[in-house]
């Protein structure tokens, strides 16, 4: 099976005894992401799936900030799933569900969510730094799942580096893209236009593009007709 995301914990700080991993990127970007989600999720209740939760640090921060939302973390890597479970246990928060193993490239995953005890309808899906460190079928599966599981007023929120109109937004993003493609030709920084076309093909549309620190963006998608 292809490795869809870069695993944390292989460099830098050692893994904690309980399996918790610590991602440096979390400390750099979590406050900026939380500030945006505070607006996007204001007044929202229900279930939110995080696709590709990595270490699990983000979902704990989000759950602490939004106690009225039930958070469903997920990932494909066993080490990540162990870390998410450990961060969940360490937090003691009641509004985080056990991490789910989800392979976004598997077309059956959206149907398996409700049949396996998960929610049949989502207020939102959030995914940070996934679609560029993964082959294109992962992006396709992410949008297909959003089209199936989001409730009528639901939203899909993506965070990461993206190209715009075919061009990188900064030299550092171009260098990062080159390093990704050298590691795996199926990876790479995605163009906003490509993702917009993918969204349109499943009945979603890009409703907001938000500039973030370090040349990143947040893209917010909603069902056609919603804002």
């Amino acid at each position: 099976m292809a490795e869809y995301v870069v695993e944390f914990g292989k460099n830098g700080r050692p893994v904690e005894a309980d399996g918790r991993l610590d991602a440096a990127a979390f400390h750099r970007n979590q406050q900026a992401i939380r500030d945006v989600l505070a607006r996007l999720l204001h007044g929202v209740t229900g279930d939110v799936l995080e696709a590709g939760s990595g270490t699990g640090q983000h979902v704990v921060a989000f759950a602490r900030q939004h106690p009225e939302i039930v958070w469903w973390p997920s990932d494909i890597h066993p080490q990540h799933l162990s870390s998410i479970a450990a961060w969940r246990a360490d937090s003691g928060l009641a509004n985080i569900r056990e991490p789910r193993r989800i392979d976004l490239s598997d077309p059956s995953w959206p149907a398996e969510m409700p049949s396996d005890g998960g929610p049949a309808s989502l207020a939102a899906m959030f995914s940070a730094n996934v679609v560029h460190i993964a082959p294109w079928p992962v992006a396709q599966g992410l949008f297909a799942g959003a089209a199936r599981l989001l409730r009528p007023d639901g939203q899909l929120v993506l965070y990461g580096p993206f190209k715009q109109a075919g061009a990188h937004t900064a030299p550092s993003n171009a260098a990062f893209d080159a390093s990704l493609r050298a590691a795996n030709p199926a990876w790479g920084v995605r163009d906003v236009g490509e993702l917009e076309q993918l969204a349109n093909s499943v009945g979603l549309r890009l409703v907001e593009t938000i500039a973030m620190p370090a040349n990143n963006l947040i893209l917010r998608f909603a069902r056609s007709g919603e804002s």
Side-chain angles (χ1 to χ4, degrees):
M1 179 177 293
E3 183 169 316
Y4 294 134
V5 297
V6 173
E7 293 188 75
F8 298 104
K10 291 185 176 178
N11 298 296
R13 290 181 54 184
V15 178
E16 297 288 346
D18 63 0
R20 280 178 295 154
L21 304 176
D22 181 56
F26 165 77
H27 300 284
R28 292 194 300 268
N29 64 33
Q30 61 97 11
Q31 187 59 59
I33 295 174
R34 284 172 54 203
D35 288 346
V36 173
L37 289 185
R39 174 175 65 84
L40 298 184
L41 298 178
H42 178 70
V44 172
T45 59
D47 298 281
V48 174
L49 171 70
E50 183 183 29
S53 296
T55 64
Q57 290 166 284
H58 274 304
V59 77
V60 168
F62 300 157
R64 189 169 283 126
Q65 179 170 270
H66 299 276
E68 69 284 356
I69 290 174
V70 177
W71 293 85
W72 297 78
S74 70
D75 209 282
I76 190 171
H77 289 295
Q79 191 180 31
H80 291 173
L81 294 169
S82 296
S83 179
I84 298 162
W87 278 109
R88 173 180 180 255
D90 180 75
S91 75
L93 296 171
N95 62 323
I96 307 176
R97 296 296 178 257
E98 292 184 6
R100 305 174 69 86
R101 184 191 181 278
I102 293 179
D103 179 353
L104 293 171
S105 68
D106 182 350
S108 67
W109 83 262
E112 291 174 353
M113 274 283 288
S115 66
D116 191 30
S121 180
L122 296 171
M125 287 174 55
F126 174 80
S127 186
N129 293 321
V130 169
V131 297
H132 58 284
I133 315 178
W136 185 244
V138 167
Q140 293 173 313
L142 178 65
F143 278 85
R148 175 164 183 151
L149 294 171
L150 288 178
R151 66 195 194 193
D153 63 342
Q155 54 189 323
L156 170 63
V157 180
L158 306 186
Y159 167 86
F162 300 96
K163 292 188 289 185
Q164 292 184 298
H168 289 289
T169 59
S172 59
N173 283 6
F176 180 48
D177 185 36
S179 70
L180 290 174
R181 296 180 188 276
N184 187 329
W187 297 355
V189 174
R190 308 302 179 188
D191 191 89
V192 173
E194 292 177 320
L195 295 172
E196 195 168 5
Q197 289 180 3
L198 182 55
N200 294 343
S201 73
V202 296
L204 302 175
R205 65 186 182 92
L206 179 64
V207 295
E208 191 172 5
T209 301
I210 304 165
M212 300 294 286
N215 304 305
N216 290 306
L217 298 173
I218 279 182
L219 308 178
R220 183 169 73 91
F221 299 86
R223 294 196 182 278
S224 298
E226 295 293 321
S227 60

